Amino acid sequence: MKKKDISRLLQRYLSGHQEGKDAYFDADEIDELLDSFEESDDYTYYDEVLALGLRLHPGNPDLQVKQCKSYVYNEDYDSALVLIESIAETDNQDLDMLRLECYVMQDSYDKVIEHIEKLIADKCEYLETIFEYIAPILGDVEMTKEAHDFINRGLMLFPDNLILKDELCYNLEMEGDIKKAIEVCNELIDKNPYSNDYWFTLGRLYSISEDYEKAIEAFDFALTCDDSNEELKILKGHCLYMNGNYEKALEVYNDVKKADETYTPRLMPLLAECYVKLEDYEKAYVLLKELLKQKNLHEVSSGSYISYILCCVETGHKEEASDTLMKAAKLFPYNIRILSMLVLAHMENGDEHKAQEATDLLFMAFEEMENKQLDDFKNLYRTGQYFFMKGNIDEALQYFNKVLNAVPGMPYIHLHIAMAYLAKGDIEHFCEHYKKTSPEELFDYLKKVGFDLDGIIDHFGFKHIPPEDLVKEFLKNKDNNN
């Protein structure tokens, strides 16, 4: 029906409604009016018109199916199933899909399979459509195991169904089997090599597996199919960044910003991180300062605060760096790297009491962290190095031992602990840890940090690194934003 005819139907309904009486519509007119609401995704009058239709034509099966859909939409699955049973109509695709959807939403997968097997036995003509409809719903409600089983059942019957294979790809990703998901995605691309969606998915899967080179290649193929997807470009920029190609990542981000200014706030921290990696701290400082002005403080990530503090230090805005660190510590009270920076700041200010308080909080936050990453331990490691260089040996040992207990194989950890005990004059513990350091590791480390190998026997003569330079080196490690 044409839009103007639908408009007349709606106006007739509204006129009757305003007069407090029901206008008459035949069942087809009600059905078409309801279809127009669904197509426009405007359900303002849907329930009212449906109720009117059922009053006028209570036994009409099409309107009863619409009532079932309304029940499902409003999550009243019990009422939907009661109505489906009362209709008792066989070979009705809509009713079968609604029935199975209700079973899924009621977490009754056994009933789903029971009904599917009945449809198979009855040689249902629309069985493939049923599988296509239900598989995504199982995925949406995170019934991952059940979804995998259902998809496999469908593919046994319809092995060339691309919708089911696409769902399998998604399901495997949710299960964490990225390698298999990539295999399935490549099968989809073989069937349709010009699909932007398939190439995008492949690139995303490679990015998850940290194979950024292949991810970038897949994104480039996706862009040859459709170059209008700005989200895809941003993800490509991320992969370029992770692959160390910061200049190219900047180009991609700037192209997105030029194409659509609404992306600017989101791109500002991404652009800033590229400039930080390129050590162009002035440009990064300007971007991050603007970001902190424009956004609510709680909307800015901890990583952006850490980068901004670094940029402040590098560009000579040290008071601003200190103020920002205090703000960040309040906003992210359990962030490992920010707490580590806070410890160092208090030490630089000569406030050992506050430094110890921050250390205690840091260790508590660290113990309560789930899914600790190697970089989190490296962060503690560097803080321990700072204390050692400052001559705070006991504090350094706190950090070194925390790392040792969690990551015994951390490079140079036994050597650092040995040196700390040597500084304390504790030869017994020095020897204990020194013996656990291989000669290769020892000489490699001494070479890296500038030890005087000729004087090693007398005083382990290491090259002194001024504390302020060590703080800069600590800040420059941008891979630990927690």
Side-chain angles (χ1 to χ4, degrees):
M1 184 175 286
K2 295 180 180 179
K3 285 186 178 180
K4 63 180 181 180
D5 295 325
I6 293 293
S7 180
R8 288 195 191 100
L9 289 177
L10 180 58
Q11 190 56 50
R12 194 189 341 153
Y13 167 75
L14 292 175
S15 297
H17 186 71
Q18 289 171 357
E19 294 172 7
K21 59 183 181 181
D22 289 343
Y24 180 80
F25 297 86
D26 63 36
D28 287 341
E29 288 176 325
I30 293 287
D31 198 45
E32 287 169 350
L33 196 50
L34 293 172
D35 284 342
S36 73
F37 294 153
E38 292 176 5
E39 289 170 7
S40 63
D41 201 27
D42 183 355
Y43 292 85
T44 306
Y45 301 106
Y46 190 94
D47 289 339
E48 296 176 16
V49 172
L50 177 57
L52 172 61
L54 289 169
R55 286 198 298 273
L56 295 172
H57 312 283
N60 185 275
D62 291 334
L63 296 181
Q64 287 180 321
V65 170
K66 286 283 198 300
Q67 180 66 71
C68 287
K69 289 183 179 179
S70 180
Y71 282 140
V72 172
Y73 178 81
N74 291 299
E75 301 181 9
D76 187 356
Y77 306 114
D78 289 334
S79 296
L81 285 169
V82 169
L83 182 54
I84 289 169
E85 293 295 340
S86 71
I87 296 173
E89 186 174 325
T90 59
D91 298 327
N92 187 308
Q93 178 176 310
D94 287 335
L95 286 179
D96 280 321
M97 290 194 297
L98 290 168
R99 179 195 294 274
L100 290 170
E101 184 173 355
C102 289
Y103 289 156
V104 170
M105 303 312 292
Q106 291 181 331
D107 199 20
S108 298
Y109 186 64
D110 56 334
K111 292 183 179 180
V112 172
I113 296 306
E114 182 182 345
H115 193 68
I116 281 290
E117 289 178 347
K118 179 179 180 301
L119 293 176
I120 294 172
D122 293 342
K123 297 182 180 179
C124 174
E125 293 182 357
Y126 48 82
L127 184 61
E128 188 169 5
T129 304
I130 293 286
F131 274 101
E132 292 174 351
Y133 180 77
I134 296 299
I137 296 175
L138 286 163
D140 290 342
V141 298
E142 299 182 0
M143 295 175 68
T144 310
K145 181 181 177 182
E146 293 82 356
H148 198 148
D149 174 72
F150 190 81
I151 294 165
N152 282 337
R153 288 171 183 266
L155 286 172
M156 286 178 66
L157 296 168
F158 311 104
D160 296 323
N161 188 291
L162 296 184
I163 293 175
L164 292 177
K165 283 201 173 183
D166 197 10
E167 285 300 318
L168 178 60
C169 182
Y170 173 75
N171 180 263
L172 289 165
E173 179 186 345
M174 292 300 99
E175 291 182 332
D177 192 347
I178 305 302
K179 182 179 179 181
K180 183 64 176 175
I182 288 172
E183 290 178 11
V184 173
C185 193
N186 276 312
E187 289 178 20
L188 288 167
I189 289 171
D190 288 341
K191 295 290 185 181
N192 184 0
Y194 302 105
S195 169
N196 170 273
D197 290 339
Y198 294 162
W199 283 112
F200 190 177
T201 299
L202 184 63
R204 188 170 50 75
L205 290 169
Y206 276 129
S207 71
I208 292 170
S209 61
E210 300 182 2
D211 191 340
Y212 299 113
E213 199 69 46
K214 288 185 178 179
I216 294 163
E217 182 181 343
F219 289 140
D220 284 338
F221 276 112
L223 289 168
T224 61
C225 300
D226 179 4
D227 64 356
S228 64
N229 191 329
E230 306 303 335
E231 291 294 332
L232 186 156
K233 294 175 187 176
I234 291 173
L235 189 50
K236 177 187 173 183
H238 166 74
C239 291
L240 288 163
Y241 173 89
M242 296 302 293
N243 211 33
N245 197 339
Y246 310 120
E247 295 92 344
K248 193 66 179 176
L250 278 171
E251 288 180 22
V252 172
Y253 291 147
N254 279 315
D255 285 346
V256 173
K257 189 159 68 76
K258 288 176 185 176
D260 190 341
E261 286 293 327
T262 61
Y263 281 95
T264 298
R266 180 177 166 191
L267 290 169
M268 287 171 73
L270 303 178
L271 289 163
E273 286 304 316
C274 290
Y275 286 125
V276 168
K277 286 289 190 181
L278 294 167
E279 298 186 3
D280 192 341
Y281 299 109
E282 284 288 351
K283 286 183 180 178
Y285 170 81
V286 171
L287 280 169
L288 291 169
K289 188 177 183 69
E290 185 64 24
L291 179 70
L292 266 63
K293 279 183 182 178
Q294 287 185 5
K295 286 205 168 189
N296 185 300
L297 293 180
H298 291 277
E299 295 178 355
V300 181
S301 72
S302 61
S304 291
Y305 273 98
I306 291 167
S307 294
Y308 185 57
I309 294 166
L310 167 62
C311 292
C312 288
V313 171
E314 290 291 339
T315 55
H317 299 84
K318 296 196 175 179
E319 186 175 343
E320 195 174 346
S322 179
D323 291 343
T324 305
L325 175 58
M326 296 307 157
K327 288 178 185 176
K330 290 179 180 178
L331 290 169
F332 308 98
Y334 304 109
N335 182 286
I336 299 301
R337 192 161 186 229
I338 289 173
L339 284 170
S340 298
M341 293 166 65
L342 192 61
V343 171
L344 301 184
H346 287 318
M347 287 299 298
E348 284 297 301
N349 294 330
D351 195 334
E352 294 190 12
H353 177 69
K354 285 187 176 180
Q356 187 57 52
E357 285 183 343
T359 293
D360 292 341
L361 182 58
L362 170 59
F363 286 167
M364 182 185 72
F366 189 77
E367 291 300 328
E368 293 179 357
M369 273 183 66
E370 296 181 3
N371 303 319
K372 297 181 182 70
Q373 303 295 318
L374 181 60
D375 284 338
D376 297 315
F377 295 102
K378 288 181 178 178
N379 195 59
L380 295 186
Y381 189 27
R382 282 188 294 275
T383 308
Q385 287 178 287
Y386 172 81
F387 276 114
F388 181 80
M389 293 299 182
K390 288 282 286 184
N392 298 76
I393 306 304
D394 289 333
E395 289 85 350
L397 281 169
Q398 284 187 75
Y399 283 85
F400 291 152
N401 282 316
K402 182 72 69 174
V403 175
L404 177 64
N405 290 335
V407 191
M410 177 76 79
Y412 313 121
I413 187 63
H414 283 288
L415 181 57
H416 273 94
I417 295 175
M419 291 165 64
Y421 279 120
L422 182 63
K424 286 169 64 71
D426 187 338
I427 301 302
E428 180 182 351
H429 284 101
F430 162 76
C431 291
E432 176 190 341
H433 289 279
Y434 177 74
K435 288 176 181 177
K436 295 178 181 178
T437 303
S438 69
E440 293 80 12
E441 188 178 41
L442 173 62
F443 285 102
D444 182 58
Y445 174 76
L446 295 177
K447 182 179 178 182
K448 283 182 179 178
V449 299
F451 272 72
D452 177 8
L453 296 179
D454 294 331
I456 189 173
I457 296 176
D458 293 331
H459 27 53
F460 263 59
F462 58 88
K463 179 181 178 182
H464 180 69
I465 302 175
E468 60 271 18
D469 290 344
L470 191 63
V471 173
K472 283 188 180 182
E473 290 303 314
F474 181 88
L475 287 169
K476 283 181 182 178
N477 191 298
K478 283 109 26 204
D479 299 322
N480 306 300
N481 292 344
N482 192 27

